[in-house]
Amino acid sequence: MVLKNIVFYEVMVRMLFFQKGSMTEYSSLIRYSEKYYDNKYEYRHVTLPEGISKRVPSTHLLTETEWRNLGVQQSPGWVHYMIHPPEKHILLFRRPISSPPT
């Protein structure tokens, strides 16, 4: 019973903080890095303005739906792969590359 209540609470919190369109006024303030690479992945980081960064949970990585609802816009395949606690306002993304950049 306690586990069901915790799951319900988490779902409700996510619904409140990540309602579609709730962060659109900040989307023009979001900054995207250039892409950078290693042998396996393409990386980029996204810097959020303070109004959005306060809504980013530090307990889990964001799903695609969550980061899109924050106003982050990027092509499919990107995954939020790491949280860096001192800079919660910077989201770190990566996706596999099929061939090295030229």
Side-chain angles (χ1 to χ4, degrees):
M1 183 63 141
V2 172
L3 182 59
K4 285 183 182 180
N5 289 340
I6 291 171
V7 171
F8 175 77
Y9 175 76
E10 182 177 320
V11 169
M12 294 305 294
V13 167
R14 286 184 184 200
M15 286 175 61
L16 288 171
F17 287 124
F18 298 106
Q19 291 177 3
K20 189 170 179 71
S22 64
M23 295 291 141
T24 54
E25 68 270 16
Y26 294 106
S27 61
S28 64
L29 302 174
I30 296 173
R31 299 290 170 238
Y32 301 85
S33 74
E34 294 295 321
K35 298 173 189 167
Y36 43 101
Y37 304 85
D38 66 13
N39 293 336
K40 292 177 93 176
Y41 294 101
E42 176 177 28
Y43 299 90
R44 102 174 327 163
H45 58 272
V46 176
T47 305
L48 302 174
E50 186 177 344
I52 296 176
S53 64
K54 290 179 180 181
R55 305 274 186 180
V56 176
S58 57
T59 57
H60 66 277
L61 297 172
L62 299 177
T63 65
E64 183 173 348
T65 300
E66 289 173 327
W67 56 258
R68 287 196 185 280
N69 286 342
L70 288 173
V72 175
Q73 299 175 0
Q74 45 190 0
S75 55
W78 290 100
V79 175
H80 180 220
Y81 76 98
M82 187 168 70
I83 297 171
H84 182 57
E87 297 178 315
K88 188 173 128 175
H89 66 289
I90 299 177
L91 303 180
L92 303 167
F93 291 94
R94 71 179 180 190
R95 67 179 174 183
I97 54 174
S98 54
S99 61
T102 56

